[in-house]
Amino acid sequence: MSARPAKLPPEEVEQRASELEGWTVRDGKLHCELEFPTFAEAFGFMASAAIFAQELDHHPDWSNSYNKVVIDLSSHDVKGISERDFDLAGRMNALAAARSPRA
Amino acid sequence: MSARPAKLPPEEVEQRASELEGWTVRDGKLHCELEFPTFAEAFGFMASAAIFAQELDHHPDWSNSYNKVVIDLSSHDVKGISERDFDLAGRMNALAAARSPRA
């Protein structure tokens, strides 16, 4: 296996999160709250994101309540936020944009 | 539209929840925690359950972290637990059993 990306310094995490639309740093994780028109669209987003997550071998902590999806990303193995979290967040943003969430 | 099922009395909810494997009453909701072998199986369960939820027009509050799924069911419109929650819980149990979760 290739080496896993390392934990990023907090300053870099804050800077890059501020450049990523819809994401903040909360409790040491990349955090995002999305709202879609319907449950079907919210869960459709999750299903697409789940496939990407599996491909990246990096999985979100997330919750869903009707049309809302709340996501927290972190890299448990490095006890922080790594490049993988930004990769997954970027892919999720592309998926969400394609579905025009309202949040 | 047909009338929505009414809120069930707390005693009936407790009794019926005790007969439903894996479910408890927590904070006024039907609560269940499932653990699957992998993320793919956990999310596969959610995808199947999402389709049933949509069919029932009754949607869970739920979260997923890798191979774990935590579910809370309640009927917001009647501010309590109704027949719909037991319907969805029963269908979720059937789906989970088919996937042999470890919890």
Side-chain angles (χ1 to χ4, degrees):
Chain A
M1 276 179 70
S2 58
R4 304 290 272 171
K7 176 178 179 172
L8 295 171
E11 309 74 35
E12 183 178 341
V13 167
E14 287 286 355
Q15 174 61 33
R16 291 179 59 182
S18 72
E19 295 165 356
L20 199 58
E21 189 184 345
W23 294 80
T24 56
V25 181
R26 188 183 295 186
D27 298 331
K29 299 178 178 183
L30 285 185
H31 178 87
C32 180
E33 303 187 7
L34 296 171
E35 189 172 327
F36 295 84
T38 63
F39 170 75
E41 285 162 282
F43 198 83
F45 161 80
M46 293 178 76
S48 303
I51 290 170
F52 275 121
Q54 186 75 357
E55 182 183 316
L56 292 171
D57 189 21
H58 191 54
H59 304 85
D61 293 335
W62 52 359
S63 64
N64 160 243
S65 180
Y66 197 58
N67 64 331
K68 297 191 175 95
V69 180
V70 177
I71 308 160
D72 285 293
L73 304 181
S74 66
S75 299
H76 300 105
D77 52 352
V78 298
K79 295 185 173 56
I81 294 173
S82 76
E83 199 63 47
R84 278 169 288 153
D85 299 300
F86 283 102
D87 281 353
L88 185 53
R91 297 223 200 178
M92 286 178 159
N93 270 15
L95 288 172
R99 292 172 179 273
S100 305
R102 290 187 311 218
Chain B
M1 276 180 68
S2 58
R4 305 289 273 172
K7 177 177 178 172
L8 296 170
E11 310 73 37
E12 182 178 341
V13 167
E14 288 286 353
Q15 175 60 34
R16 291 179 60 182
S18 72
E19 295 164 357
L20 198 58
E21 189 184 345
W23 294 80
T24 57
V25 181
R26 188 183 295 186
D27 298 331
K29 299 178 178 183
L30 285 185
H31 178 86
C32 180
E33 303 187 7
L34 296 171
E35 189 172 327
F36 296 85
T38 63
F39 170 76
E41 285 161 281
F43 198 84
F45 160 80
M46 293 178 76
S48 303
I51 290 170
F52 276 121
Q54 186 75 356
E55 183 183 315
L56 292 172
D57 189 21
H58 192 55
H59 304 86
D61 293 333
W62 51 0
S63 64
N64 161 243
S65 180
Y66 196 59
N67 63 332
K68 298 191 174 94
V69 179
V70 176
I71 307 160
D72 285 293
L73 304 181
S74 67
S75 299
H76 300 105
D77 54 350
V78 299
K79 295 183 172 58
I81 293 173
S82 76
E83 200 63 46
R84 278 169 287 151
D85 299 300
F86 283 103
D87 281 353
L88 185 54
R91 295 224 200 177
M92 285 179 161
N93 269 17
L95 287 171
R99 292 172 178 275
S100 306
R102 292 185 311 217

